[in-house]
Amino acid sequence: MKDKSRMIAELKTIIKPYVQDQEAFGNLDEDTDFINDLKVNSANLVDIILDIEDKYDIEIDNESMEKMLTVRAALEVVNKKLGHSYDSPQE
Amino acid sequence: MTLLKSKILMMIGNDIIDRGYACKESNWRRKGFLKKIFTPCEQELIHGASDPFTTVWRLWSMKESAYKLFMHTGVERFFNPRRLSCEFSSSEEGLVNIEALQIHTRSKIHPKFIFTSASSICRVETMDHVFNLSKTDPRFQSKFTHRAMLECIAQKYHLNKEKLYIRKSDQSVPEVFYGKQRLNISVSMTHHGYHGAFSICERKFIPQ
């Protein structure tokens, strides 16, 4: 597994252009919700998912995409697709 | 039974898209974009349309408004627009299917915006208000839209607006309270770019 903080930093670079609430972006952590907290437009959530696919060279199927509403869920999906184990309290 | 039925049956949702903003914010021609959001039938509608931009965003607003309505059923939030499949019934009306639910939509195609209101019952008139917003800051927009809707409710039902407030459920469904009492109305709010809207509908039982 990649270093979690490094992955969060990479994710932050991807989502930055779509964020509408900069204050919430400054306080971003694993629990941050893309739509409710960062006020990302839901159509731009598709862009985030496409950008993640490009960055990590993975394909995110719609079933995996369904859960990608938070930073934590996005990290889990990426790690799963990369074949890395991810130590999550939710799993 | 009637009360329960009325609660299940009368649900609404809405969505507004600022056309200028959508043009700037999203590139629907981006590789993979349509495939992630739209079913094969919807993609055909888009590719065969004389104005694909309007078709893309009309379908999107149908999905968004129907999704908001679907959240009233208490399901967990999800992000998978393809699960909501749309068809057009006329230049304004449409249907969105998700699981066993069939949702009726009406879209207003304006040169500046596309507004869709969704209802769980066919031909139910929702009270829709569309307005301009002076700023695009999401906190300002949310506050402005809340206030505008509560003022409208206060006026319509002769209530003291100071006692009205909105609380969101775990599924982010807004509910309107008057003091401690929850009002028997279904509401939905939306804002995008320089446009905002709210919809109000009484939750009374209407025989189909």
Side-chain angles (χ1 to χ4, degrees), chain B:
Chain B
M1 179 61 193
T2 307
L3 263 178
L4 183 67
K5 211 169 177 183
S6 69
K7 196 183 165 208
I8 293 166
L9 283 175
M10 197 52 249
M11 300 177 283
I12 61 168
N14 68 6
D15 188 59
I16 198 159
I17 286 162
D18 181 315
R19 294 169 75 112
Y21 236 68
C23 199
K24 212 169 58 182
E25 270 182 347
S26 300
N27 174 18
W28 64 270
R29 292 184 193 271
R30 177 180 182 180
K31 191 170 170 274
F33 190 86
L34 295 182
K35 222 177 107 192
K36 280 262 184 281
I37 303 174
F38 299 109
T39 65
C41 287
E42 291 161 358
Q43 290 177 52
E44 265 180 49
L45 277 176
I46 293 163
H47 294 306
S50 58
D51 180 357
F53 176 86
T54 301
T55 307
V56 164
W57 296 110
R58 178 183 168 190
L59 285 168
W60 178 262
S61 74
M62 284 169 70
K63 283 174 191 268
E64 275 284 311
S65 59
Y67 173 81
K68 285 188 189 170
L69 184 154
F70 190 53
M71 286 296 107
H72 285 250
T73 63
V75 294
E76 239 184 89
R77 292 169 63 224
F78 63 91
F79 184 68
N80 186 1
R82 276 173 69 121
R83 258 177 74 188
L84 299 121
S85 78
C86 303
E87 52 189 281
F88 294 152
S89 317
S90 71
S91 60
E92 286 190 345
E93 288 180 18
L95 289 173
V96 183
N97 290 291
I98 175 136
E99 289 170 17
L101 204 60
Q102 186 164 62
I103 297 163
H104 305 264
T105 62
R106 186 175 292 126
S107 303
K108 185 179 166 61
I109 317 285
H110 183 274
K112 299 244 185 229
F113 61 82
I114 296 171
F115 171 73
T116 299
S117 64
S119 152
S120 52
I121 301 172
C122 188
R123 285 186 288 276
V124 157
E125 288 295 329
T126 54
M127 194 165 73
D128 302 319
H129 285 259
V130 178
F131 44 86
N132 293 329
L133 290 162
S134 59
K135 289 187 229 165
T136 56
D137 170 57
R139 287 176 198 229
F140 163 82
Q141 296 202 330
S142 174
K143 253 191 209 163
F144 187 96
T145 309
H146 280 205
R147 202 181 311 131
M149 188 178 78
L150 292 181
E151 273 171 18
C152 176
I153 292 169
Q155 212 169 23
K156 183 173 161 67
Y157 298 104
H158 310 290
L159 300 170
N160 174 3
K161 74 173 180 193
E162 304 303 324
K163 284 170 73 179
L164 281 169
Y165 60 97
I166 296 161
R167 202 185 280 164
K168 283 195 177 177
S169 73
D170 292 344
Q171 285 76 25
S172 299
V173 174
E175 284 167 350
V176 184
F177 286 78
Y178 188 62
K180 283 182 182 163
Q181 191 193 351
R182 199 180 95 184
L183 296 186
N184 201 22
I185 53 175
S186 189
V187 298
S188 192
M189 287 162 284
T190 175
H191 47 80
H192 182 231
Y194 291 99
H195 300 283
F198 59 83
S199 304
I200 303 167
C201 190
E202 288 171 23
R203 278 199 192 117
K204 63 189 170 197
F205 174 66
I206 298 155
Q208 298 248 52

